[in-house]
Amino acid sequence: MNLFSKYKTYKKEVLNAGMWLSQHGYFGSLRGSGGNVSARIDDTTMAITPSGVKYQELSLNDICIIGFDNKEIAVKKGRKPSIESGMHSVIYQKRPEINAIVHTHQTYGSVFAILNLPIPALFDEVSWALGKIIQVVPYALSGSRELAANVGAKLSNNANAYIIQNHGILALGKTMNQALLHAELLEKAAQIYYLALSTGKPVTELPIS
């Protein structure tokens, strides 16, 4: 079995998720290449989107297979794995139950990224799926070891979504469909929280201790 056939299922999962997120505006623009998607293959390996390639131009062969040590295993000539590969690696290593990660620049989630403001539990479905609070990961330069370390430091709360200060959001899942759902739920919570705050009236949070 060649490497393409061996990893085809994971490549397809990552490609389809990236295309869906792009088409629904989760990366900030239809023509851009921002954000990234990955899927765990095993305890040392993942499939991840390449760096600097427009989602509308991606094919299965463009999806990169790399180790958690960032060693390239099956990467198309001329392509480079996402610069955020280190951040994905940290999550997979610290959260063994997580099998899919999406990092987006979705609009309302990004509002709270620049406000440096966490989103509290507002609805049962959001609390159950994402956690009691959507915390903010401190800023660091995109693709840096510092950013990966900052993300890693937040993972012990076992939440499934995080806001990255002045950057975007992370949504995690046991499956890719779950990770996508968590990105949707975060955007729903962020939009409603933003609109509620804009009224100037008190916001009612869930009574979670």
Side-chain angles (χ1 to χ4, degrees):
M1 179 184 292
N2 61 37
L3 288 179
F4 179 82
S5 298
K6 180 179 180 180
Y7 298 120
K8 182 177 179 180
T9 298
Y10 300 98
K11 285 172 172 275
K12 186 174 182 179
E13 186 175 48
V14 169
L15 176 63
N16 288 345
M19 294 296 289
W20 187 92
L21 289 164
S22 177
Q23 291 164 2
H24 289 80
Y26 279 75
F27 291 137
S29 68
L30 283 175
R31 299 181 184 276
S33 60
N36 31 78
V37 179
S38 72
R40 179 197 293 273
I41 295 173
D42 53 36
D43 290 341
T44 62
T45 315
M46 65 177 161
I48 192 165
T49 47
S51 180
V53 183
K54 295 177 182 179
Y55 283 88
Q56 304 306 315
E57 298 175 0
L58 284 179
S59 69
L60 282 182
N61 282 329
D62 293 311
I63 305 303
C64 303
I65 307 300
I66 63 172
F68 293 166
D69 58 0
N70 288 331
K71 180 179 179 181
E72 296 183 3
I73 297 171
V75 177
K76 180 180 177 181
K77 185 177 180 180
R79 296 292 186 236
K80 291 292 183 182
S82 169
I83 63 168
E84 303 291 8
S85 296
M87 181 173 69
H88 289 246
S89 296
V90 166
I91 296 170
Y92 287 130
Q93 291 177 82
K94 286 183 173 287
R95 296 281 298 276
E97 82 282 10
I98 296 302
N99 294 307
I101 302 167
V102 300
H103 164 50
T104 76
H105 301 155
Q106 56 202 65
T107 302
Y108 285 95
S110 296
V111 167
F112 289 92
I114 64 170
L115 290 174
N116 193 21
L117 187 66
I119 301 173
L122 300 173
F123 305 98
D124 287 340
E125 63 171 331
V126 175
S127 175
W128 293 333
L130 304 185
K132 296 179 181 179
I133 186 170
I134 302 169
Q135 294 186 344
V136 179
V137 174
Y139 173 80
L141 189 66
S142 299
S144 66
R145 291 183 179 180
E146 183 182 0
L147 179 57
N150 289 350
V151 169
K154 291 287 185 179
L155 296 173
S156 61
N157 70 350
N158 293 317
N160 287 317
Y162 301 88
I163 299 163
I164 304 176
Q165 184 183 350
N166 290 86
H167 192 152
I169 73 98
L170 281 168
L172 323 179
K174 293 181 180 179
T175 65
M176 186 63 75
N177 282 338
Q178 195 178 71
L180 294 174
L181 172 61
H182 292 165
E184 286 187 280
L185 286 174
L186 187 152
E187 190 69 349
K188 170 189 173 180
Q191 181 177 9
I192 293 172
Y193 192 39
Y194 169 81
L195 293 172
L197 289 174
S198 71
T199 69
K201 296 181 179 180
V203 175
T204 301
E205 300 178 13
L206 289 178
I208 296 176
S209 57

